[in-house]
Amino acid sequence: MREDSFSRRHLLQVGGLTLAAIGPALRAQNSAPAGDGFRSLFDGVSLKGWKRSPRALNQPSLGIWTVEDGVISGGQDPPGSGIGSYLVSEETFGDFELKIDARPDWPADTGILVRTNAQGNIGFQVLLDHRPHGGIGGYYGNGLGGWHAWNYSFTAEKNDAGKLKALVPGPAAEPTTGNFTVPLDYAAPVEEFLKIWNVDGWNQFHIRCTGEVPHLTTWINGVKIAELDTARMKAPKWDPKMVLELVGRTGHVALEVHSNGANDKLGKDRWAPGAVCRWRNISVKTL
């Protein structure tokens, strides 16, 4: 979920690329129909309009991104390698709303990025850290100073078969780094989040991004979960003018498969060998 530093060198992180194509079968409905001003960003049968992208120069994999039964699946390439990637929209957006259904495995450290650069590694991430001590629905400055804006994190309660049974809330504390936490302008009580979160199924994220320096709002399954006006935010290494230089007034949407290399303190708790994230019903409305 994070990038190393806030610098222009992120814009140059490209390298030799490889590609594989496998994916699990998963029955699901087709891509979201147009309506209420929204139009589909995913045709339900292909990755048309999207491109695979490496996370970093020293991790040049394009990842495993496949489409089956109306669902995009993203995984590490090769599975269990610890090497992640991004799937990035070819189109860019300024002020917009995005709707997307998500169903990641546990653990799988993923997220939805908005106003990103072309590689997908610099932008504003809506958290979907579906792993121990991960946040869901808040925000992270991906390559933008490493700040968090979140009010709680989660660990797992599992059944006798080892399957995720429930999310167990805890304090907003990232164990791997000293990233700075900024207060949200609005955060739903964790009890409200737990009532609406579908532990063993799909969850719809509805994200609004407006303003020159983004004002971000997240709804999950129709309930407002988080809101942050980054133009008024105070954090170390946070410079709104530099943000405009790095990502501009418009940017891409990106989906993440996180890396978990040998030096990652979370290790397999960040991304289980063979885990995937799943996405469907992706639509956008320009404001």
Side-chain angles (χ1 to χ4, degrees):
M1 181 199 64
R2 73 187 40 76
E3 306 300 328
D4 293 334
S5 64
F6 180 46
S7 66
R8 300 174 191 271
R9 69 184 175 84
H10 286 84
L11 300 177
L12 303 176
Q13 290 180 329
V14 294
L17 306 177
T18 60
L19 174 64
I22 64 172
L26 181 66
R27 300 298 302 176
Q29 65 194 62
N30 290 327
S31 57
D36 299 326
F38 284 85
R39 58 183 174 84
S40 181
L41 281 183
F42 169 45
D43 64 15
V45 296
S46 73
L47 294 177
K48 182 179 180 181
W50 297 81
K51 64 176 183 179
R52 303 170 179 87
S53 178
R55 286 182 59 86
L57 182 62
N58 63 347
Q59 294 180 340
S61 171
L62 288 175
I64 298 174
W65 295 93
T66 62
V67 178
E68 189 168 355
D69 295 329
V71 174
I72 296 173
S73 292
Q76 294 181 344
D77 183 21
S81 65
I83 303 176
S85 64
Y86 296 104
L87 186 68
V88 186
S89 70
E90 293 179 353
E91 192 173 352
T92 59
F93 307 94
D95 293 352
F96 67 100
E97 294 185 11
L98 177 75
K99 291 183 179 181
I100 181 170
D101 295 348
R103 189 176 182 177
D105 288 337
W106 180 280
D109 191 338
T110 183
I112 306 158
L113 292 100
V114 298
R115 289 276 184 92
T116 76
N117 64 345
Q119 187 178 338
N121 67 334
I122 300 178
F124 298 86
Q125 182 172 159
V126 178
L127 298 176
L128 184 45
D129 300 340
H130 200 240
R131 46 84 171 166
H133 306 291
I136 301 174
Y139 310 104
Y140 178 74
N142 218 69
L144 299 176
W147 48 267
H148 273 100
W150 56 337
N151 275 33
Y152 33 78
S153 65
F154 299 97
T155 54
E157 178 184 349
K158 297 182 180 180
N159 61 23
D160 293 340
K163 185 178 180 181
L164 180 65
K165 178 180 178 182
L167 294 180
V168 180
E174 175 58 68
T176 60
T177 70
N179 288 340
F180 188 81
T181 298
V182 300
L184 288 163
D185 296 322
Y186 173 81
V190 70
E191 296 81 7
E192 188 172 353
F193 173 91
L194 292 171
K195 285 180 182 178
I196 59 93
W197 183 256
N198 187 0
V199 173
D200 190 27
W202 291 93
N203 291 279
Q204 185 197 67
F205 284 71
H206 180 176
I207 302 159
R208 179 184 291 156
C209 175
T210 60
E212 187 175 52
V213 179
H215 187 134
L216 302 167
T217 311
T218 306
W219 296 263
I220 298 177
N221 297 332
V223 174
K224 185 176 176 179
I225 296 299
E227 185 173 3
L228 178 67
D229 185 354
T230 65
R232 299 190 297 117
M233 184 179 72
K234 304 296 183 183
K237 301 181 181 180
W238 174 248
D239 180 355
K241 292 182 179 179
M242 180 64 74
V243 169
L244 286 172
E245 291 182 20
L246 285 170
V247 298
R249 182 62 176 80
T250 64
H252 303 264
V253 171
L255 309 177
E256 181 185 44
V257 169
H258 208 291
S259 301
N260 56 332
N263 296 324
D264 190 331
K265 294 180 180 179
L266 280 171
K268 292 180 180 179
D269 280 346
R270 188 182 296 283
W271 196 279
V276 298
C277 58
R278 302 175 186 86
W279 312 92
R280 70 179 187 187
N281 294 342
I282 308 172
S283 60
V284 67
K285 177 169 67 174
T286 302
L287 302 177

